Every structure is written in C-alpha cells, then in structure tokens.
Amino acid sequence: MHAKQLLEISKEHAPPPGDESPLANMRRDFFAASQPIGTVPPPGSVKGMAKTALETLKGHKPTVLVDKLGERLAFERTGVRLYESVLTKFDALGSWDDGPTRAQLMQNRDEELAHFEMVRQYLQKLGADPTAMTPSADVVAVISSGVLKAITDPRTTLAQALQALLVAERADIEGWQGLIQLARELGHEQMARDFQEAERAEQRHGVWVRQWLDASVLQDANREIGKQHGGG
Ligand SMILES: [Fe+2]
Ligand SMILES: [Fe+2]
C-alpha cells in the first residue's frame, strides 16, 4: 500500500558516495589486532599433566586432540538439546506421512547423548577437563547458534525445524570424519574405531532428516496441485 512512499524515502536517503572499502579497512585493523578465541586449557590434575607430558614425549599433539574433542563434546551436547526442542515441536504440531515418528526422534537424541558421553570419557582418559570450553568448542557454538534459533523459534513449523536440524547433522558427519582421521593419525586406534561407529549413526541421522523433509515438501506440493484442481 505504501510502496510509493517507500520509494520516495529511498530517494531522499540515498547511500553516501564511495564504496565498502572503509568498512573492510576497519575490519582488517580489528582482525590484525585481536586476540585468538581462547586457548586449550591445561589439564586440571597432576595425573592429567603427566599424561599430557607423556603424549608430548611420544610426539603426539594432545592439545589439538583435546581441542577437537572439546568441539565434538559441545556439538553432541547441543545435538541433544536440538532434538529435545524438535520433540517439543513434534508434540505441539504433529507430523506427516513419512515424517518423523516420536520414537525415531528419541532414538537420534539418545544417540547424540551416547556420543557426548563417549567423548567425555575419552577426554577424561587423556587427562583433560571435559567441563572446560576449548576454542573449537566456542567456535562451533557460534556456528550452530542459528540452527538453535530456527528450531526454538515458536513460529517455525516442524519441517522448518528439520531443515535447520539437517544443517547440524551434516556438520556432525564432517566433524566425526575429521576427528576419526586425527585419532588415527595420533595412533589412537580404539578411539578411531569407536568414533567410526558414531559416524555411522550420524550418517543415518542425516538420511532420516533428509527423507522426512523430502516427504514434507512433496506433501505440500501435492496439496497445492490438489487445490488447483479442486478449487478451480
Ligand atoms: Fe551428533
Ligand atoms: Fe546426529
């Protein structure tokens, strides 16, 4: 209704002459002068310190592994919370043909929790503090914050929440794959095998969410076709 006035205002307030380079320059100064996003915390116990020293002697890089394990720990914990929120949305709004069942959502949630617990135990075995937030954990929390917002927004549908969940599940698979490679590189064979099992579960999570979403889109499209034919 007010399209005309909007156009007039945009003419009155034209952007100043020039380009985005002053903004880029300002960012560059900040990038160059800023401190990193934290450091990997040192082990909290004497036993932990001894283990870290031993790993270092063996030529391993425990801080890299602890940083990435901390990342996985944070992501799996968030995964549990994402599924909890999706379950609440499921209960409030219901599902569709070939959409998620409550049992499937609960199974995925339980697997995220089991993964979290496994990573926690490995961190403790390495003498690291699983309650400490590592730099990579901090970064993935920021990256996944949009997913959390889309899922918990009361206005989003279950299908929209699943679209956000798919982003998390894809990132989850990538995260496990990187961690498996790192564990193997550092000679932690059992860890690599356990993580491969987790990755297999994550692959299934990704396939399921994809299928639920496809079914929802197909159903919406069919409903539209039905309307066109029925409504005339
Ligand atoms: Fe996960
Ligand atoms: Fe997952």
Side-chain angles (χ1 to χ4, degrees):
M1 266 164 64
H2 300 291
K4 236 183 178 167
Q5 279 126 294
L6 270 172
L7 280 172
E8 274 163 30
I9 288 168
S10 76
K11 274 177 211 148
E12 278 170 36
H13 301 275
D19 55 26
E20 298 87 350
S21 57
L23 271 176
N25 287 341
M26 200 164 114
R27 284 204 186 98
R28 196 184 52 205
D29 291 346
F30 275 111
F31 290 168
S34 288
Q35 298 289 317
I37 297 184
T39 51
V40 175
S45 64
V46 178
K47 200 175 126 206
M49 268 184 251
K51 273 191 183 168
T52 304
L54 192 70
E55 288 286 308
T56 312
L57 273 178
K58 281 194 266 178
H60 296 164
K61 297 190 198 84
T63 51
V64 177
L65 185 59
V66 167
D67 182 38
K68 297 311 271 183
L69 284 172
E71 172 189 320
R72 215 62 254 125
L73 188 81
F75 206 92
E76 298 303 309
R77 182 179 48 226
T78 300
V80 176
R81 289 174 181 160
L82 294 181
Y83 273 101
E84 290 284 351
S85 298
V86 169
L87 273 162
T88 308
K89 196 148 267 191
F90 174 94
D91 289 341
L93 304 176
S95 189
W96 51 86
D97 286 344
D98 295 323
T101 65
R102 194 163 213 287
Q104 283 175 312
L105 290 172
M106 276 165 57
Q107 185 185 334
N108 284 10
R109 187 229 15 222
D110 292 348
E111 281 167 349
E112 305 291 358
L113 186 59
H115 295 166
F116 165 83
E117 182 55 26
M118 175 173 65
V119 175
R120 187 187 70 78
Q121 284 175 14
Y122 270 117
L123 273 165
Q124 272 181 332
K125 270 187 213 161
L126 288 170
D129 176 7
T131 68
M133 187 191 264
T134 70
S136 288
D138 193 327
V139 173
V140 290
V142 176
I143 292 172
S144 55
S145 61
V147 171
L148 194 70
K149 279 183 201 158
I151 290 176
T152 53
D153 191 314
R155 297 163 303 173
T156 55
T157 64
L158 181 60
Q160 286 165 338
L162 290 180
Q163 194 176 344
L165 194 61
L166 187 62
V167 173
E169 290 293 12
R170 291 287 172 214
D172 220 355
I173 294 166
E174 290 293 327
W176 281 109
Q177 286 173 345
L179 202 50
I180 290 162
Q181 209 174 338
L182 182 64
R184 200 167 283 147
E185 197 85 18
L186 299 178
H188 295 287
E189 282 306 323
Q190 185 57 48
M191 194 190 281
R193 274 195 296 275
D194 285 346
F195 290 178
Q196 256 179 325
E197 207 160 301
E199 192 223 333
R200 270 195 287 277
E202 301 294 2
Q203 293 278 7
R204 205 199 57 246
H205 294 178
V207 170
W208 278 5
V209 178
R210 174 83 262 163
Q211 286 171 347
W212 297 332
L213 261 178
D214 286 347
S216 158
V217 173
L218 217 71
Q219 193 175 298
D220 285 349
N222 282 333
R223 199 178 295 133
E224 227 165 62
I225 293 166
K227 248 188 222 162
Q228 278 166 7
H229 286 255

